[in-house]
Amino acid sequence: MHGNTPLLSIRELKKVYKTREGELEALGSVTFDIYPQEFVSIVGPSGCGKTTLLKIIAGLLPKTSGEIFVDKKQFDPSREVGFVFQKPLLLPWRKVIDNVLLPIEILKLDKRNYIEKARALLELVGLSGFENNYPNELSGGMQQRVSIARALIHDPKLILMDEPFGALDALTRERMNLELLRIWSESQKTILFVTHGIQEAIFLSDRVIILSARPSRMIKALDIELPRPRTMEVRSSAEFGVYSLEVYRCLELT
Amino acid sequence: MNHVLKSTDSLTPPSRLNALIRWVTRSIQKNLNSIFVVLGFFLLWEAAVWVFRIPPFILPAPSTALSHLLFPRAEANYRWSYHISSTVLAISLSFVATSTVGILIAIALAWSKRLKEIILPAFVFINSLPIIAIAPIILLWMGYGVFTNMVIAFLVGFFPVVINTITGLEAVDEDLLDLVRYLHASKLQVFLKIRIPNALPYIFSGLKICSTMSIVGAIVGEFIASDRGLGYIIINAQYSMNTPPIFSSLILISLAGALLFTLVSLLERILMPWTAFEAEP
Ligand SMILES: Nc1ncnc2c1ncn2[C@@H]1O[C@H](COP(=O)(O)OP(=O)(O)OP(=O)(O)O)[C@@H](O)[C@H]1O
Ligand SMILES: [Mg+2]
């Protein structure tokens, strides 16, 4: 199903935070591969180190031990990563459109070439007409959708998403799931997606990585072999139920 | 797709201007009470002077002070417009210079941790010197003139600007920094795109303190190092026990203070339009 060289290989990754109360082992030992154009989800109990894992991959946190191999032939990790954080993190002094264009400025690309794209992305996340508003004029869910547009503006190959739809209502969330699948299938991106939603993870992914409670280990990497393109009907299929049960069982065992 | 929201729902530039106008009218309404308080204070003062027959060389009535402004007396024929404009110039130059230099110093110190560790303690030391005591030395070194005046005002007012600006530059949410760090933003980019805009509210609260400090500094400068301005009138009139012009000057000085403070607040609103929609009453 996927190419032979992984885009990203994570080997026995371990993270220990040094806090005032002593050492806190967030990631026990995590090992997995992500292949180009895969959609991989990570589920696990709250506080098990999912955000930590993404931040280490993005180079925002130092790892304690283990290895991360990046296939630099396939992509440039300093320019071709998009990160959707758990919080929207919009800059309050920038209008919506300028928030979306922030990565373009940071990467010193020509902004003029991206303004149309920024508008298109805002339309995609259902926010056309809000280009010139300030973030504090938007709801939490709208802000998070702006941050999704921002993570896509520089056309990253690898997209890291940390519970991007957590703040959205169920209906918008479903819609965003479908849109995300569309973007993903049309643009040959690789997505690593953290979520609390087990159904969401199964619906979106090629593979669901299930982490245990802290210090987290990988309980299972569950291949989801549901047909694509996936539609809402998939969710009511028998296989879907089997997969959910499997994930629930894994999480309960911890 | 969710196209229920049409583009007309968004806030367009004209409505932003309206918001600014709304803010101005609201501020005037809010300050109406304090204007009444000030007026009431002057009325009480006026009444007290007449009722207790206080001689003008001890406490002149506000009306007396005002009449000295409008109709200068032969015994103290101050050219008010000349002195007022000289003080206004001193205050404005001092304020602009102190804010600009203060902000630039703060950026330099926030940029380099080592520089900050060396320089900031020295600033604390300078700031705790009684300025009245060192102003004569500055005069000795630099002579009379508006520049001396600016240096004195700078020494009085730079500290709150520097401290507030540094605080603002450093009080950035770590997560906001992550947002540009994963794209390998340079230190300059972090300053230009995150730290400096983030510091704006802090800078403005520093500037508000500085606006009053600049007035103190400019007047102290005129006391000691000038032959013109309202500070000079106060000293000069005091020699001849001619009290009313002193009070005329004091009233003008507080007026200047209120004006400068208002200008800074207005500038804050204009430069930080994203706060204009917060907290409608
Ligand atoms: N900067 C930090 N310093 C110390 N401990 C931290 C730090 N960040 C996270 N932790 C701890 O590490 C553990 C994992 O945190 P992390 O944010 O990665 O969890 P998570 O899986 O993303 O949780 P959630 O699903 O609630 O977002 C938690 O127990 C947390 O308390
Ligand atoms: Mg998290």
Side-chain angles (χ1 to χ4, degrees):
Chain A
M1 150 149 209
H2 38 65
N4 36 18
T5 30
L7 199 68
L8 203 68
S9 294
I10 292 161
R11 291 284 170 275
E12 288 167 36
L13 190 70
K14 190 178 162 102
K15 175 70 187 178
V16 180
Y17 283 109
K18 295 201 171 43
T19 65
R20 253 161 291 156
E21 284 88 47
E23 299 199 332
L24 188 143
E25 200 176 346
L27 292 175
S29 173
V30 176
T31 297
F32 62 90
D33 290 332
I34 300 172
Y35 291 87
Q37 296 168 43
E38 248 193 329
F39 197 125
V40 177
S41 288
I42 299 177
V43 296
S46 178
C48 75
K50 303 181 293 295
T51 299
T52 304
L53 176 61
L54 288 195
K55 283 191 175 171
I56 293 174
I57 292 173
L60 291 171
L61 279 177
K63 58 184 192 279
T64 304
S65 65
E67 295 298 334
I68 299 179
F69 300 105
V70 171
D71 188 356
K72 294 204 171 122
K73 271 192 245 101
Q74 295 188 59
F75 86 121
D76 173 2
S78 69
R79 303 179 70 86
E80 292 183 312
V81 173
F83 203 135
V84 181
F85 293 86
Q86 201 163 356
K87 291 186 273 174
L89 298 181
L90 301 181
L91 302 178
W93 50 84
R94 280 173 173 250
K95 292 178 177 176
V96 164
I97 185 116
D98 296 322
N99 264 291
V100 174
L101 288 165
L102 181 72
I104 299 305
E105 290 177 30
I106 300 294
L107 296 173
K108 301 206 174 86
L109 299 169
D110 191 348
K111 231 163 95 171
R112 281 167 301 178
N113 300 338
Y114 287 87
I115 290 172
E116 275 319 302
K117 185 165 182 205
R119 287 184 193 287
L121 282 170
L122 282 172
E123 164 139 37
L124 184 75
V125 297
L127 285 176
S128 47
F130 288 90
E131 289 87 353
N132 291 316
N133 285 88
Y134 285 104
N136 67 358
E137 295 158 3
L138 307 183
S139 74
M142 291 159 91
Q143 292 184 17
Q144 187 61 323
R145 284 183 274 154
V146 176
S147 84
I148 292 165
R150 177 183 59 197
L152 297 172
I153 187 76
H154 54 299
D155 206 14
K157 286 232 172 66
L158 175 66
I159 307 175
L160 307 170
M161 306 182 95
D162 195 356
E163 296 183 42
F165 308 141
L168 304 184
D169 62 282
L171 217 65
T172 315
R173 189 176 183 145
E174 308 278 293
R175 218 192 68 228
M176 293 301 297
N177 279 344
L178 291 172
E179 282 302 333
L180 184 61
L181 282 183
R182 200 174 60 76
I183 296 169
W184 169 73
S185 60
E186 281 175 6
S187 59
Q188 312 194 322
K189 292 183 190 312
T190 309
I191 297 182
L192 185 56
F193 187 92
V194 166
T195 176
H196 277 140
I198 290 165
Q199 321 283 334
E200 185 178 59
I202 296 169
F203 177 67
L204 294 172
S205 311
D206 296 320
R207 207 139 41 91
V208 177
I209 290 170
I210 306 159
L211 296 182
S212 71
R214 192 168 51 80
S216 49
R217 290 165 301 100
M218 198 175 84
I219 299 176
K220 189 171 185 119
L222 186 65
D223 285 314
I224 309 292
E225 279 156 5
L226 297 168
R228 292 196 186 266
R230 292 187 188 157
T231 53
M232 281 309 181
E233 288 83 73
V234 167
R235 291 189 179 231
S236 45
S237 70
E239 294 101 307
F240 196 91
V242 174
Y243 284 127
S244 331
L245 213 64
E246 175 84 31
V247 178
Y248 280 119
R249 196 167 331 113
C250 286
L251 285 171
E252 257 164 22
L253 280 174
T254 59
Chain B
M1 294 228 90
N2 179 7
H3 284 316
V4 189
L5 294 155
K6 291 186 291 292
S7 55
T8 43
D9 292 343
S10 70
L11 297 150
T12 44
S15 84
R16 238 166 256 293
L17 185 66
N18 287 340
L20 186 67
I21 294 166
R22 260 209 319 281
W23 176 80
V24 171
T25 41
R26 211 169 47 235
S27 321
I28 293 172
Q29 278 164 4
K30 260 194 296 196
N31 289 324
L32 226 51
N33 289 333
S34 32
I35 292 170
F36 282 131
V37 169
V38 172
L39 281 181
F41 169 75
F42 277 110
L43 279 177
L44 271 179
W45 174 1
E46 184 83 31
V49 169
W50 293 117
V51 170
F52 300 112
R53 295 170 192 286
I54 303 173
F57 70 89
I58 294 192
L59 180 68
S63 60
T64 318
L66 199 67
S67 82
H68 270 257
L69 258 185
L70 299 176
F71 317 104
R73 308 298 148 89
E75 73 268 22
N77 192 4
Y78 297 118
R79 283 159 56 212
W80 284 101
S81 59
Y82 170 70
H83 290 292
I84 290 172
S85 57
S86 150
T87 295
V88 166
L89 185 73
I91 292 174
S92 324
L93 287 178
S94 300
F95 176 70
V96 171
T98 309
S99 331
T100 317
V101 176
I103 291 169
L104 290 178
I105 289 177
I107 292 174
L109 297 194
W111 184 277
S112 157
K113 231 190 176 114
R114 285 210 31 214
L115 201 63
K116 190 178 112 183
E117 278 162 10
I118 299 167
I119 303 226
L120 209 54
F123 282 176
V124 175
F125 176 74
I126 295 172
N127 189 50
S128 23
L129 286 175
I131 193 67
I132 303 274
I134 54 168
I137 302 171
I138 296 166
L139 173 64
L140 205 73
W141 289 340
M142 304 181 55
Y144 275 32
V146 75
F147 190 66
T148 310
N149 210 320
M150 280 164 68
V151 171
I152 293 172
F154 177 81
L155 291 175
V156 177
F158 80 101
F159 199 66
V161 180
V162 172
I163 289 294
N164 272 285
T165 307
I166 290 183
T167 307
L169 291 170
E170 289 176 349
V172 179
D173 189 356
E174 269 309 302
D175 293 340
L176 273 191
L177 293 178
D178 280 352
L179 175 64
V180 291
R181 267 193 208 136
Y182 89 88
L183 295 164
H184 299 257
S186 66
K187 194 172 178 181
L188 182 66
Q189 285 179 323
V190 172
F191 264 76
L192 291 178
K193 303 204 186 292
I194 311 276
R195 290 194 188 274
I196 292 176
N198 184 73
L200 274 181
Y202 298 82
I203 292 176
F204 273 105
S205 64
L207 291 189
K208 283 176 188 168
I209 304 171
C210 178
S211 72
T212 26
M213 298 293 229
S214 295
I215 289 179
V216 173
I219 298 299
V220 168
E222 287 175 347
F223 278 177
I224 293 164
S226 182
D227 51 5
R228 66 191 76 154
L230 297 174
Y232 163 78
I233 289 184
I234 292 177
I235 293 289
N236 187 277
Q238 185 211 340
Y239 290 145
S240 49
M241 293 264 283
N242 183 14
T243 319
I246 298 182
F247 278 88
S248 316
S249 304
L250 288 178
I251 292 170
L252 286 173
I253 290 165
S254 23
L255 209 65
L259 198 68
L260 188 55
F261 191 91
T262 310
L263 281 178
V264 175
S265 308
L266 192 66
L267 191 68
E268 183 180 19
R269 275 291 136 165
I270 292 169
L271 286 186
M272 295 171 49
W274 61 94
T275 57
F277 291 87
E278 277 170 7
E280 292 282 327

